[in-house]
Amino acid sequence: MPLAIVRTVADLRAQVAAWRAAGETVGLVPTMGALHEGHLSLVTLAKSRARRVVASVFVNPTQFAPHEDFDAYPRDEARDAALLQGAGCDLLFAPGVAEMYAPGFSTTVTVAGVSEPLDGAARPGHFAGVATVVTKLLLQCGPDLAVFGEKDYQQLQVIKRLVADLDIPVEVIGAPTARAPDGLALSSRNAYLTAAEREIAPSLAAALLDAIERLRKGTPVERVEATGRAALERAGFGRIDYFEVRDAASLAHLGPGPLEGPARILAAAVLGKTRLIDNMAV
Ligand code: PAF
């Protein structure tokens, strides 16, 4: 039997209600499709924690700026559905834009603080689009838990903040970043890389690992950040949006000098026409 697909909030709610009536727990894995091993690891994690797993596939227009890749974003529902089924997913929620944003739609969820630096500064409006659609998906599905990848670390912190602030009764779980054998973080956007760019791309993860090593040795944060940016330039990256060490939860700037508490190092840089992001725990 192929994976069941629902396209309306009413049908999603009916299925979740039936599972709840049978005493079953529900996990949600929100995605924009173009699935890869990283997404499937989120489904596997959700399935290990909940009896039923819903994955959503919705390329959310409100999180893309007009000049970004909304139109070009890869879409292949049949492939996604087959992969989800293989990973143990129970239901695919694949709404159209009109189902998610009915005429007259006027509400935006904005999360101050944690959504402002880094990608918030580089992609104005992006996290408002993410926060709004994730709030809707959580309210539409009403899961016990929802799994998001640490690959989008700032997004994960934004979602944890909004769930706490809005008292949404769901456990938000962060899943480790899945990587290619050469270290490149898996991403749907890796499909845009040319063969030559794909050779260069693992330098991003390598620069983060090198930065962690330097921080461990007590090198001051600013020097580590400057060395990381220089390494990316040398490797062939173009615009570097950020290469920064931040507080692991608030993403606030850390004081000058050697590192003292739990931190996260985050980077975003453009390779050819593709913007890559990655991050690691320090
Ligand atoms: O990480 C993503 O794929 C998206 O930002 C999300 C969380 C599905 C919201 O559209």
Side-chain angles (χ1 to χ4, degrees):
M1 268 236 305
L3 180 66
I5 303 179
V6 292
R7 302 192 187 278
T8 66
V9 176
D11 286 347
L12 171 65
R13 288 200 169 127
Q15 178 58 83
V16 171
W19 286 333
R20 292 229 174 277
E24 295 175 337
T25 53
V26 179
L28 174 66
V29 180
T31 81
M32 296 205 301
L35 302 181
H36 49 67
E37 281 303 321
H39 295 110
L40 303 182
S41 73
L42 308 184
V43 174
T44 306
L45 178 55
K47 193 73 186 178
S48 73
R49 302 278 303 270
R51 172 73 183 86
R52 300 289 185 177
V53 173
V54 178
S56 61
V57 170
F58 178 62
V59 185
N60 174 35
T62 67
Q63 68 189 76
F64 291 80
H67 65 278
E68 290 184 342
D69 56 343
F70 174 72
D71 289 330
Y73 202 84
R75 293 162 170 87
D76 187 344
E77 186 180 280
R79 179 180 171 278
D80 288 343
L83 289 172
L84 287 168
Q85 184 168 37
C89 179
D90 297 283
L91 182 70
L92 169 56
F93 176 47
V97 173
E99 180 71 6
M100 293 298 276
Y101 299 111
F105 188 90
S106 312
T107 302
T108 301
V109 178
T110 53
V111 180
V114 71
S115 73
E116 289 167 10
L118 306 170
D119 264 15
R123 302 180 68 189
H126 170 67
F127 284 124
V130 170
T132 303
V133 81
V134 170
T135 302
K136 283 173 67 70
L137 289 165
L138 293 174
L139 296 175
Q140 290 163 346
C141 179
D144 299 281
L145 58 92
V147 183
F148 298 86
E150 285 185 349
K151 156 86 176 15
D152 296 295
Y153 187 79
Q154 187 174 12
Q155 167 175 284
L156 176 63
Q157 304 314 308
V158 169
I159 292 165
K160 283 185 174 167
R161 186 74 258 163
L162 80 85
V163 161
D165 289 353
L166 300 179
D167 302 311
I168 302 178
V170 64
E171 181 189 358
V172 175
I173 300 174
T177 302
R179 294 183 182 278
D182 61 11
L184 177 66
L186 299 189
S187 164
S188 305
R189 289 190 170 101
N190 292 350
Y192 301 153
L193 297 170
T194 64
E197 289 162 358
R198 178 63 188 79
E199 295 273 304
I200 297 172
S203 321
L204 183 56
L208 293 174
L209 286 169
D210 180 65
I212 291 169
E213 208 41 51
R214 287 173 198 275
L215 289 165
R216 282 210 184 106
K217 288 183 184 146
T219 310
V221 166
E222 294 82 348
R223 193 148 9 115
V224 170
E225 292 173 341
T227 307
R229 281 193 296 271
L232 293 185
E233 274 164 19
R234 269 199 315 278
F237 281 83
R239 194 185 78 230
I240 296 164
D241 283 341
Y242 54 83
F243 189 101
E244 291 187 22
V245 185
R246 296 268 176 157
D247 178 87
S250 69
L251 298 183
H253 266 300
L254 294 168
L259 208 58
E260 276 161 17
R264 200 92 190 172
I265 181 156
L266 306 100
V270 177
L271 190 52
K273 292 192 172 121
T274 311
R275 184 173 183 274
L276 300 178
I277 61 171
D278 200 352
N279 69 88
M280 290 182 192
V282 180

